[in-house]
Amino acid sequence: MTCTAPQGFRAAGVTAGLKQSGKPDVALVVNDGPRFDAAGVFTSNRVKAAPVRWCEALFGADQGPGAQLSAVILNSGGANACTGAEGYQDTVATAEHVGSVLSLPASRVAVASTGLIGMRLPMDLLLTGVGEAHRALSAEGGPEAAVAIMTTDTVPKTVVVPGPGFTVGGMAKGAGMLAPGLATMLVVLTTDAVADGATLDTALRRATRVSFDRLDSDGAMSTNDTVLLLASGASGTEASTEQLTAAVTRACTDLAEQLLADAEGATKEIRIEVRGAATEDGAVEVGRSVARNNLVKTAFFGQDPNWGRILAAVGTVGPHVEFDADAIDVTLNGVQICRAGGTGDDRDLVDLTGRQAHVIIDLHAGTETATVLTNDLSHAYVHENSAYST
Amino acid sequence: MTCTAPQGFRAAGVTAGLKQSGKPDVALVVNDGPRFDAAGVFTSNRVKAAPVRWCEALFGADQGPGAQLSAVILNSGGANACTGAEGYQDTVATAEHVGSVLSLPASRVAVASTGLIGMRLPMDLLLTGVGEAHRALSAEGGPEAAVAIMTTDTVPKTVVVPGPGFTVGGMAKGAGMLAPGLATMLVVLTTDAVADGATLDTALRRATRVSFDRLDSDGAMSTNDTVLLLASGASGTEASTEQLTAAVTRACTDLAEQLLADAEGATKEIRIEVRGAATEDGAVEVGRSVARNNLVKTAFFGQDPNWGRILAAVGTVGPHVEFDADAIDVTLNGVQICRAGGTGDDRDLVDLTGRQAHVIIDLHAGTETATVLTNDLSHAYVHENSAYST
C-alpha cells in the first residue's frame, strides 16, 4: 500500500499524457492530518530543477528543520529543469492548482518532477491531470501513485515498515543518474506517527545518509532528487527520534536496494564494503571511488575478478584518507584475491556469474566501516543512455 | 624519429616474450650525453607500481627538481603494480641489469612498466630482452622503441618539435585509464638542449599541467603513469626555461591529442572548453566534471545533443567554483543550444555525426578559460574493458 499504508493518507496515479508512451505520469499524495509536519532532503547539484527550488523555499533557506505539507504532486515525463523563470512559474502554477482543488494554500504543496531536462512541461495536460488525480484520490491509491512516477524503471518501488504503534510507507522511482547527494530519484515517505518537523528532519537525514547517499549506480547526480517525509499523526502514537530513525532507515534502505536492483542496464548488484578505515567518511570515500571507476565497473560486467583495478581505484582518494597501499586486503565473493596489497588466493576461485557481487576492502587503518552500492557498466547501460532522448 | 630525433640518444625496441601476442614489448632509450640532466612526473595515484616507486626514489623524495639519468628501460606486457616487495626487487634487478650492460650505476636507469596489474614479470624473459635491446641500440631506433611500449594502442605515438637550436623528441603509449594526474601513460621525451634539472623540471611540469593533466578519457587514474624528460646537451645550445617550456609543451600537447585519438573504443574526440570562469582551476574542474559524466559520454556516443546532461554535470562541482546556473551558455559544434541556463537554439541544428565534438561552456563568472579533452562512452569501450584480462 506504499504511501497510503499509514493512516491519514490518500493517493492517486493517473495518465495526463505527458509521456509519449501513454503510461501513467501524474501522482498525488495527500496528507489528511490531523498533523502536517514534514521533512525533506534535496539534490546537492547546483543546477536545481524548478520543483526542487520550490520545495527548498517551502522548507526555508536552510532546507530545515521541517515544514507543514498537506500534499505532494509528482510528475514523470519531464524534469522541469533548466527551464528558466517560465519553468519556475509552471511549478508555482502546479502547486497553486493543487492548492485550489484541495482548498489549501500553495505553500502546503510540494512538487516533484522527473524526466528530460530542458523542456517545458505541457501545462494544460498537467493541470488537467491534477484535477483527475484529485478525483481519483483514495486510501488505497498508493500503488497507482508509485506507478505514475516511473520513468525508465521497470518495476514500481514501494515499502511498508511497521514501527512501535506507527507505520512508515513509501514509494521511490529512479533507474539512472543514481549517485550520491541523492540520485534521480523521487521518494515520498509517509508516516502516521506523531512527530514534529525537527524530529522528522533528524530521522530523515540520518536515514538518507546511510541509504540513498551510499547508492552510486553511475556517478551522475541529478538536478531533481527529492526525498520527502510526511507525518499525519493519525496513529496518535508519538515516535521518539530513535524509533522514527530506525523505521525510516529501514524504509530508505529497502527502497535503495530496489533502486539498485532496477538500475538501467545493470547485470550486477555490487556491494562494496570498506572495513578497517580510520573514519566512516574515509570508508565512504574509498567505496565511492571504487563504485565510480569505469574500469572496475566494466570488469564486473565481464565477470573478471580484476582486483588490480580495485586497488588502482582505491589509490585515487586523497591523502586525507588513511591507508598504506601495502596493507590492503581485497575479498571478492568470499575469496581473498588480494593480500597485503599483492596477489592473494587464486583468482580462478572467484565466481562472478551471479547477479550479486560482494567486495570487501580492508584498509587495516582503523575500525570504521561503510558499504556503498553500485552496478556494473554494461552494453545495455550504454545503449539505454545513448538513446534516451532521441 | 621520436626519442632519437635529438642528438645524443640511441634507442631500441625488441620482443622479449612478455606479451602472449608475440609483439615487441621491451624498449630501451639511452642518453649518450655529454649531459644527463633529467626531470620526471609520476602518477598521483597512491597505489604506485614498483617502477614508479623506483623512479621517484631516483628523483628524491620530492620528485624534483631533477636527476641524472642515462637510460630508460620500458616494458609492456605487465605493469609490475601490486606485486609487493618481490615486484620492487624485480624493478631493481632490471635497473641493475641495464646498468651492467651499459657500465652505469643502476641509479642512472629509470624503469617504466605497463600492462596488467597484480602479476610478477617473467624476469628471465625480461632480462634476456634487456640484453637484446642493448645490442639493438641505434640512433635510428626511436620508432621501434615507440612500438614496443604499446598495449591496447592501435598506433605508436611519436613527436618531434624543433626548438631554437635544439630539438625535442618523444614517444607515448596509452589508450585506456586516461585520466588526470596523468593516465596509463608512459612518455619519454628527449632533447639535445643544454638545461639543468631545475629548468627541465619547470618546463616539464608546466607542459604536463596543460596537456596530459587535461586529458580525461575515462576518469580512471593509473598506478604506472610516468613522464620523463632527458636532456643530452648534445646540441651545445643552452635553452631558456621559456624556450624549453614552449617546445616541451608543444610536444606534450601533440602526444596528448594522439592519445585522445586512439582511446579505447572511442567514436568521438570531445573538446570541452570552459570559458568565463573566475579561476583557471575552476574552469578545469568544470571541464573535468563534464568529461567524467557517463550520461554525457553516452549521449555523445548516441549523437544526442543532450545539453541538460551537460548542465547537470556542471552543477555537481563544489561551491568554491563560482557560477550562477541561470547564466550558463552551452554551445555544441557551433550551435548555442543552451542560453542563460535554459533552452537556446534548436537542438536539431547540432551535427554530432563527425568524430570531433566541441563543447563551449560559458560560465559568465570571470575571464579564465581551460580545455579538457575526453572521449565518449561506447559499446566498444565496454567490450574492450570487460574482456581485457580474460
Side-chain angles (χ1 to χ4, degrees):
Chain A
M1 295 286 287
T2 93
C3 284
T4 47
Q7 301 170 58
F9 291 93
R10 289 177 296 153
V14 300
T15 302
L18 308 179
K19 285 175 175 168
Q20 288 191 343
S21 65
K23 292 190 176 165
D25 46 22
V26 169
L28 181 60
V29 179
V30 172
N31 178 1
D32 288 318
R35 293 176 59 111
F36 305 95
D37 308 280
V41 293
F42 304 96
T43 184
S44 53
N45 197 309
R46 291 172 64 191
V47 176
K48 292 180 201 298
V52 169
R53 296 193 217 182
W54 168 259
C55 288
E56 286 187 343
L58 299 184
F59 281 92
D62 57 358
Q63 295 189 23
Q68 297 283 305
L69 290 184
S70 297
V72 186
I73 180 79
L74 308 97
N75 74 275
S76 50
N80 196 5
C82 304
T83 45
E86 294 87 355
Y88 191 77
Q89 271 313 312
D90 291 342
T91 290
V92 174
T94 306
E96 284 174 344
H97 192 65
V98 173
S100 118
V101 297
L102 290 170
S103 304
L104 294 167
S107 62
R108 299 284 283 265
V109 181
V111 182
S113 301
T114 179
L116 267 186
I117 295 175
M119 303 207 302
R120 294 276 301 280
L121 291 169
M123 287 304 291
D124 48 342
L125 296 177
L126 176 55
L127 296 186
T128 305
V130 166
E132 216 175 305
H134 174 238
R135 286 186 292 279
L137 279 173
S138 107
E140 286 78 41
E144 283 75 25
V147 167
I149 61 175
M150 289 164 64
T151 52
T152 54
D153 305 68
T154 64
V155 291
K157 285 92 178 173
T158 66
V159 72
V160 177
V161 175
F166 65 91
T167 301
V168 173
M171 63 178 183
K173 68 80 41 182
M177 266 201 181
L178 291 177
L182 312 181
T184 293
M185 201 180 82
L186 304 181
V187 180
V188 178
L189 298 159
T190 54
T191 181
D192 47 18
V194 176
D196 62 14
T199 304
L200 294 168
D201 186 69
T202 300
L204 186 61
R205 286 178 195 279
R206 286 185 187 170
T208 56
R209 195 179 74 84
V210 298
S211 55
F212 301 123
D213 281 353
R214 294 192 185 166
L215 177 65
D216 193 329
S217 174
D218 68 358
M221 198 193 320
S222 157
T223 51
N224 286 59
D225 302 320
T226 299
V227 183
L228 295 167
L229 171 59
L230 281 66
S232 68
S235 70
T237 304
E238 193 149 345
S240 71
T241 303
E242 286 63 36
Q243 289 167 337
L244 200 61
T245 298
V248 174
T249 301
R250 271 185 60 196
C252 289
T253 303
D254 192 313
L255 289 173
E257 303 261 2
Q258 292 180 53
L259 292 169
L260 182 76
D262 196 29
E264 281 171 359
T267 73
K268 303 283 177 216
E269 297 163 34
I270 308 165
R271 188 174 298 275
I272 302 167
E273 182 180 344
V274 181
R275 296 181 182 170
T279 65
E280 187 181 350
D281 285 350
V284 172
E285 198 169 331
V286 167
R288 190 163 285 161
S289 177
V290 175
R292 288 189 166 188
N293 190 285
N294 280 352
L295 290 170
V296 171
K297 294 165 92 78
T298 47
F300 274 103
F301 174 60
Q303 305 188 348
D304 171 15
N306 195 322
W307 61 269
R309 292 183 181 178
I310 295 174
L311 245 67
V314 171
T316 61
V317 304
H320 55 285
V321 180
E322 274 180 52
F323 66 81
D324 173 357
D326 290 330
I328 299 173
D329 295 332
V330 178
T331 300
L332 203 46
N333 281 359
V335 180
Q336 197 184 72
I337 43 168
C338 167
R339 194 171 293 123
T343 306
D345 296 338
D346 187 355
R347 49 173 278 146
D348 292 342
L349 298 173
V350 181
D351 180 1
L352 288 176
T353 54
R355 189 172 169 90
Q356 309 291 331
H358 187 188
V359 184
I360 301 171
I361 300 165
D362 195 330
L363 299 176
H364 292 290
T367 59
E368 297 296 322
T369 179
T371 297
V372 173
L373 307 176
T374 192
N375 297 108
D376 58 337
L377 176 54
S378 67
H379 286 299
Y381 177 90
V382 173
H383 177 72
E384 191 156 347
N385 287 297
S386 59
Y388 183 53
S389 81
T390 49
Chain B
M1 295 287 286
T2 92
C3 285
T4 47
Q7 300 171 62
F9 291 93
R10 288 177 296 152
V14 300
T15 302
L18 309 179
K19 285 175 177 169
Q20 289 190 344
S21 64
K23 292 188 176 169
D25 46 22
V26 170
L28 180 61
V29 178
V30 172
N31 178 1
D32 289 318
R35 293 175 60 111
F36 304 96
D37 308 280
V41 293
F42 305 96
T43 184
S44 52
N45 197 309
R46 291 172 62 192
V47 176
K48 293 179 201 296
V52 169
R53 296 193 217 185
W54 168 259
C55 287
E56 287 188 342
L58 299 185
F59 281 92
D62 56 359
Q63 294 190 26
Q68 296 284 303
L69 290 183
S70 297
V72 186
I73 179 80
L74 308 97
N75 74 275
S76 50
N80 197 7
C82 304
T83 46
E86 295 87 354
Y88 191 78
Q89 271 312 312
D90 291 343
T91 290
V92 174
T94 307
E96 284 175 343
H97 193 65
V98 172
S100 119
V101 298
L102 290 170
S103 305
L104 294 166
S107 61
R108 298 285 285 266
V109 181
V111 181
S113 301
T114 179
L116 267 184
I117 295 175
M119 304 205 302
R120 296 276 302 280
L121 292 168
M123 288 303 291
D124 48 342
L125 295 177
L126 176 55
L127 297 186
T128 305
V130 166
E132 215 175 307
H134 174 238
R135 284 186 294 278
L137 279 172
S138 102
E140 286 78 41
E144 283 76 24
V147 167
I149 61 175
M150 289 164 64
T151 53
T152 55
D153 306 67
T154 64
V155 290
K157 285 91 177 173
T158 65
V159 71
V160 177
V161 175
F166 66 91
T167 301
V168 173
M171 64 177 182
K173 69 79 43 181
M177 269 201 177
L178 291 179
L182 312 180
T184 292
M185 204 179 80
L186 304 181
V187 179
V188 178
L189 298 159
T190 54
T191 181
D192 47 19
V194 174
D196 62 15
T199 304
L200 294 168
D201 186 69
T202 300
L204 186 61
R205 284 178 195 281
R206 287 186 185 168
T208 56
R209 195 178 74 84
V210 297
S211 55
F212 302 122
D213 281 354
R214 294 190 185 169
L215 176 65
D216 194 330
S217 175
D218 68 358
M221 199 193 319
S222 155
T223 52
N224 286 60
D225 302 319
T226 299
V227 183
L228 294 167
L229 170 59
L230 281 67
S232 68
S235 71
T237 305
E238 193 148 347
S240 70
T241 304
E242 285 63 37
Q243 289 168 336
L244 200 60
T245 299
V248 174
T249 300
R250 271 185 60 194
C252 288
T253 303
D254 191 313
L255 289 172
E257 303 261 3
Q258 293 180 53
L259 292 169
L260 182 77
D262 195 30
E264 282 172 357
T267 74
K268 303 281 178 221
E269 298 164 34
I270 308 166
R271 187 174 299 273
I272 301 167
E273 183 179 342
V274 181
R275 296 182 183 169
T279 65
E280 187 182 351
D281 285 351
V284 172
E285 198 170 330
V286 167
R288 190 163 287 160
S289 179
V290 174
R292 288 189 167 190
N293 190 286
N294 280 352
L295 289 170
V296 171
K297 293 164 92 78
T298 47
F300 274 103
F301 174 59
Q303 306 189 347
D304 171 14
N306 195 322
W307 60 270
R309 292 183 181 179
I310 294 173
L311 245 66
V314 171
T316 61
V317 304
H320 55 285
V321 180
E322 275 179 52
F323 66 81
D324 173 357
D326 290 331
I328 298 174
D329 295 332
V330 178
T331 300
L332 203 45
N333 282 0
V335 180
Q336 197 183 72
I337 43 168
C338 167
R339 193 170 295 122
T343 305
D345 296 338
D346 187 355
R347 47 173 280 147
D348 291 342
L349 298 174
V350 181
D351 179 3
L352 289 175
T353 54
R355 190 173 170 89
Q356 309 292 330
H358 187 188
V359 184
I360 301 171
I361 299 165
D362 195 331
L363 299 176
H364 291 291
T367 57
E368 296 297 321
T369 178
T371 297
V372 173
L373 307 176
T374 192
N375 298 108
D376 58 337
L377 176 54
S378 66
H379 286 300
Y381 177 89
V382 172
H383 177 73
E384 190 156 348
N385 287 299
S386 60
Y388 182 52
S389 82
T390 50

